[in-house]
Amino acid sequence: MNLTEYFARIGYKEPSHKADLKTLTELHEHHIRSIPFENLSIHCGEKITLDLETIYNKIVRNKRGGWCCENNQLFSWVLKEMGYDITRLGSRVYDNLKDDYNPEESHLISKVIIDGKPYIADVSFGVSGQIWQPLELISGKDQPQLPGVFCLVEDKGVWVLQKTRRKPHVPNKSFACSSLVNKSLSKKIYCFTMAPRNIDHFEQKCTFLQTSPESLFTNKSICSLQTTTGFRALIGWTYCEVTYNYREDIDLVDVSTVPDEEVEKVLEEKFGVVLENKLIPVNNKACYNI
């Protein structure tokens, strides 16, 4: 495991080893545009582990992506190696169906202190909930980024990440009313506290998410990658390409269906992912939108 290899993986050609906000922001942006958020291992008969060296080999050397406990654990290792003051936190993802946050922490994020100021780094939420740059840990401050306006709000020690976004335009009429496209202009993403979390804290949830028939991730095969203008996503056989602000206050959402025999080609050409084992795409009914 070494930083030079990681920098090459994310295309970071002029790495600075200065642990400042500029470098953190550059690393954050390079990571989300080079390494997908994906759960494809579940649908290839592979076990997802929390072992850091296994994650490093999977993502850096085998050029795969991963979900939050893989991507954000790798990212936190990188930041520690570079001398950043970092604390891992656990967050509870918002469930649109239940109109509430999930009862258990399943999403790993990082708090980074730079010059006495705290920031939230998260390189692995995927699709439209993905922050592009670290967020200042300040309650009630609007923080505009190309995906939309993010805001962290604190109440009695609980922090909530929410986002205001633009109207989606879906040219493909067969997907215009799809539940995959969330038309709400405001979105709650997750909530968290400042309680530090070791990676072992996520062990039981990691097992549940990749084995339970109730888990979103066993019901949908997902691959998502941010681009310079928006993001791409493949959910089962449904391919989405989103362009943020393609017209004033409107996001373009191009959606199409990929034939079964072309799924692996799309993964390689659009996400840079080549799988060792056979993928069985899944897109069962479950609450998930882009």
Side-chain angles (χ1 to χ4, degrees):
M1 291 171 56
N2 66 80
L3 291 177
T4 302
E5 208 171 15
Y6 169 78
F7 291 149
R9 171 70 176 94
I10 65 170
Y12 193 36
K13 297 186 180 185
E14 296 181 6
S16 163
H17 289 269
K18 189 174 181 182
D20 57 12
L21 180 58
K22 178 178 180 291
T23 300
L24 174 62
T25 301
E26 290 173 350
L27 287 170
H28 202 284
E29 291 178 335
H30 276 75
H31 189 114
I32 63 173
R33 289 175 190 152
S34 303
I35 300 176
F37 169 84
E38 52 107 329
N39 70 341
L40 303 179
S41 289
I42 297 171
H43 306 285
C44 292
E46 302 164 358
K47 182 180 178 181
I48 297 175
T49 175
L50 298 181
D51 175 71
L52 179 57
E53 190 167 344
T54 302
I55 293 168
Y56 179 93
N57 286 330
K58 175 184 176 181
I59 293 177
V60 177
R61 294 187 174 138
N62 295 335
K63 294 182 170 49
R64 285 282 303 279
W67 60 12
C68 68
C69 285
E70 297 173 290
N71 269 315
N72 277 328
Q73 186 185 173
L74 175 65
F75 195 65
S76 68
W77 169 79
V78 169
L79 297 184
K80 280 186 177 181
E81 288 290 298
M82 295 182 68
Y84 283 95
D85 179 355
I86 179 171
T87 303
R88 294 187 183 119
L89 307 176
S91 64
R92 297 186 292 125
V93 176
Y94 187 76
D95 187 321
N96 288 306
L97 270 183
K98 297 176 182 176
D99 192 25
D100 200 1
Y101 298 94
N102 288 322
E104 296 178 339
E105 294 177 350
S106 62
H107 185 62
L108 171 67
I109 58 175
S110 300
K111 180 181 72 172
V112 187
I113 306 293
I114 301 173
D115 295 330
K117 294 181 180 180
Y119 298 84
I120 293 297
D122 180 0
V123 294
S124 196
F125 195 84
V127 293
S128 65
Q130 179 63 58
I131 61 174
W132 279 17
Q133 295 96 27
L135 297 173
E136 291 184 76
L137 193 59
I138 298 177
S139 182
K141 179 180 179 180
D142 286 345
Q143 303 189 52
Q145 299 182 6
L146 186 58
V149 180
F150 293 97
C151 185
L152 290 163
V153 178
E154 186 268 342
D155 182 27
K156 298 177 182 176
V158 177
W159 290 81
V160 170
L161 173 61
Q162 53 196 31
K163 175 189 172 186
T164 303
R165 54 187 178 183
R166 308 171 196 91
K167 291 180 181 179
H169 171 59
V170 186
N172 189 336
K173 300 302 179 186
S174 60
F175 287 96
C177 297
S178 170
S179 61
L180 187 64
V181 182
N182 190 340
K183 296 179 176 61
S184 173
L185 299 185
S186 62
K187 176 179 182 178
K188 295 175 182 176
I189 301 175
Y190 51 70
C191 69
F192 58 94
T193 69
M194 292 295 106
R197 301 299 187 200
N198 293 322
I199 198 64
D200 294 347
H201 175 75
F202 301 93
E203 185 76 49
Q204 188 173 352
K205 196 64 179 176
C206 180
T207 300
F208 171 85
L209 289 174
Q210 62 186 304
T211 58
S212 171
E214 298 177 10
S215 165
L216 166 69
F217 295 120
T218 60
N219 281 284
K220 290 186 183 292
S221 53
I222 300 168
C223 188
S224 165
L225 184 67
Q226 305 297 304
T227 67
T228 56
T229 56
F231 67 87
R232 300 170 182 148
L234 182 67
I235 299 97
W237 299 265
T238 303
Y239 178 70
C240 312
E241 194 149 335
V242 173
T243 303
Y244 289 131
N245 209 29
Y246 96 112
R247 289 205 315 253
E248 188 174 357
D249 294 326
I250 296 176
D251 293 338
L252 177 64
V253 183
D254 277 320
V255 190
S256 59
T257 301
V258 177
D260 197 58
E261 64 273 13
E262 293 184 17
V263 166
E264 291 188 5
K265 179 182 177 184
V266 169
L267 285 172
E268 182 176 2
E269 291 182 353
K270 297 295 186 180
F271 303 92
V273 170
V274 177
L275 301 171
E276 292 182 4
N277 297 311
K278 177 66 178 173
L279 172 70
I280 301 175
V282 179
N283 196 5
N284 295 331
K285 189 175 181 180
C287 183
Y288 185 72
N289 53 62
I290 60 169

